């Protein structure tokens, strides 16, 4: 049980949420830089699709290794975060991520692909710690019922980082720090990643100075062992998270290559459309934060969601180097997103199933169609990815009580999907082309649809039973 005295200090939650949201932004920005690195390193080192996907394999593989270590420590010696506190855990994760960014300097200097992969692995380890600590921390900053809404809001700013990264990061690497003659050189990554490291350290300094409420389990409830695995919804949620991260990362990783194959776009043009993919996630997460907030009336939700969608769309339009006519198709997806949210009726599990079903349809459309219709279909997936991480995460750890951090580490471990799924899609792309390789994410989103349906039917019944029994 969370210490109630600390939990009641809701007046302190606004500043901590703002501070952690800033971290989510930077974290999203750096993660999305992988989508720029993949085509960049592919050309630089003359890699196959499979070899270039080792970028995601090392980065997201670190999530699995780091979470596995954390889990085994928690079952043998007790939860580390409960002992040191969320604040220290978050700061440690930031320092580790900054170290990964710094290691890009020697990797670029020696122009050696394995060194890049090593730097990405360390960077991934740092973000693993942040996933375990920051997401769980946000879910505790208020009631359990509004946890999905809060996580969607912080994830929206995470998506803001992923939206800016392709344009700004692509400009830094493909243009500003590239060779004067336009040829690719490894040194183009040195200065950008040193800048990222410096910003991360500034965020760590800010967090160290901000008073964050302390959430710790009562000492008599801190247990060892495999207790978290007794929850079926957690085990299913781990698999769903594997599928979600794998699907999202695989689609994002192949967008530039997909647009080159289907639309004959070069990297300078494709990076703007990649921003639309991630920008869609930002729109959807802001809408999700409003839609899943059950304290707002339906009328106000509609007004707030319309205003948020319009504002974020204008922000995206100002970021990307595209005309209004080129991005106007996105308005159709925003409208469809509105409809899907209202059909979901603010229920995280039901909304998750609806969004996953739409993505299955969009992926199939991208595979069987050509030209702009195929392009629109693949870009529209981003807006329906929007609420998946937060909804899967909160559904998976719902009702875990003293096992929350342990369960959180298992869910974060499932981010391994971002390492495995793109590798398999890369193998298919080498053999059958990029367009046909999207059959892999189709199966991922089908599994998410089933998880949402499972939680809709069974998890609500369990929670109602526990409520009646007084737990």
């Amino acid at each position: 049980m969370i210490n109630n005295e600390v939990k009641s200090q809701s007046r302190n939650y606004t500043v901590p949420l703002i501070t952690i949201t800033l971290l989510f932004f930077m974290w999203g920005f750096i993660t999305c830089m992988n989508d720029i690195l993949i085509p960049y390193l592919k050309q630089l080192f003359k890699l196959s699709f499979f070899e270039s996907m080792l970028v995601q394999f090392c980065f997201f593989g670190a999530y699995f290794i780091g979470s596995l270590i954390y889990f085994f420590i928690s079952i043998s010696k007790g939860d580390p975060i409960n002992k040191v506190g969320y604040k220290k855990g978050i700061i440690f994760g930031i320092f580790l991520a900054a170290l990964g960014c710094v290691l890009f300097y020697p990797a670029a200097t020696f122009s050696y692909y394995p060194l890049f992969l090593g730097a990405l692995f360390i960077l991934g380890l740092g973000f693993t710690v942040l996933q375990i600590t920051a997401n769980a921390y946000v879910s505790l900053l208020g009631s359990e019922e509004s946890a999905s809404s809060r996580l969607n809001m912080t994830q929206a700013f995470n998506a803001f980082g992923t939206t800016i990264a392709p344009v700004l990061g692509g400009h830094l690497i493909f243009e500003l720090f590239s060779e004067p003659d336009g040829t690719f050189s490894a040194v183009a990554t040195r200065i950008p990643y040193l800048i990222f490291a410096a910003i991360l350290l500034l965020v760590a300094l800010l967090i160290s100075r901000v008073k964050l409420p302390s959430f710790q389990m009562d000492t008599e409830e801190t247990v060892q062992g495999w207790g978290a695995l007794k929850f079926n919804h957690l085990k299913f949620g781990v698999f769903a998270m594997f599928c979600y991260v794998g699907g999202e990362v695989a689609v994002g990783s192949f967008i530039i290559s997909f647009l080159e194959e289907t639309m004959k776009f070069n990297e300078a043009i494709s990076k703007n459309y990649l921003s639309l993919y991630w920008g869609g996630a930002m729109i959807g997460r802001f809408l999700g934060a409003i839609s899943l907030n059950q304290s707002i009336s339906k009328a106000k939700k509609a007004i707030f969601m319309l205003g948020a969608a319009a504002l974020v769309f204008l922000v995206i339009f100002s970021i990307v180097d595209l005309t209004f006519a080129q991005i106007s198709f996105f308005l159709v997806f925003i409208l469809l997103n509105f409809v899907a949210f209202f059909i979901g009726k603010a229920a995280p599990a039901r909304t998750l199933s609806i969004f996953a079903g739409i993505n299955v349809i969009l992926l199939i459309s991208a595979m069987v169609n050509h030209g702009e219709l195929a392009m629109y279909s693949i870009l529209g997936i981003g807006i329906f990815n929007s609420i998946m991480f937060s909804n899967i995460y909160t559904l998976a750890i719902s009702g875990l009580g003293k096992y929350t951090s342990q369960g959180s580490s298992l869910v974060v471990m499932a981010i391994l999907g971002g390492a495995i799924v793109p590798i398999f899609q890369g193998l298919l792309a080498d053999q059958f082309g990029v367009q046909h390789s999207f059959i892999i994410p189709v199966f991922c989103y089908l599994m998410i649809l089933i998880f949402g349906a499972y939680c809709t039917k069974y998890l609500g019944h369990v929670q109602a039973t526990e409520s009646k029994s007084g737990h």
Side-chain angles (χ1 to χ4, degrees), residues 19 22-23 26 30 90-91 94-95 97-99 194-210:
T19 306
L22 177 61
L23 172 61
M26 198 61 207
I30 297 175
I90 290 170
I91 291 174
I94 295 174
F95 271 98
L99 174 61
L194 285 180
I195 294 172
F196 301 157
I199 295 174
L200 282 172
L201 293 175
L202 286 175
V203 173
L205 178 63
L206 175 63
I207 290 175
S208 70
R209 299 295 179 89
V210 173

Side-chain angles (χ1 to χ4, degrees), residues 278-298:
W278 292 110
M282 176 171 60
I283 292 174
R285 284 169 184 167
F286 275 116
L287 297 185
I290 299 169
S291 175
L292 298 175
N293 189 329
Q294 299 181 4
S295 65
I296 303 176
S297 67
K298 289 184 179 180

Side-chain angles (χ1 to χ4, degrees), residues 76-110:
S76 60
K77 299 183 181 299
D79 186 359
I81 296 302
N82 190 52
K83 293 180 179 180
V84 304
Y86 283 94
K87 184 174 183 176
K88 289 181 180 178
I90 290 170
I91 291 174
F92 173 73
I94 295 174
F95 271 98
L96 200 55
L99 174 61
C101 290
V102 170
L103 290 176
F104 268 76
Y105 194 91
T109 300
F110 293 104

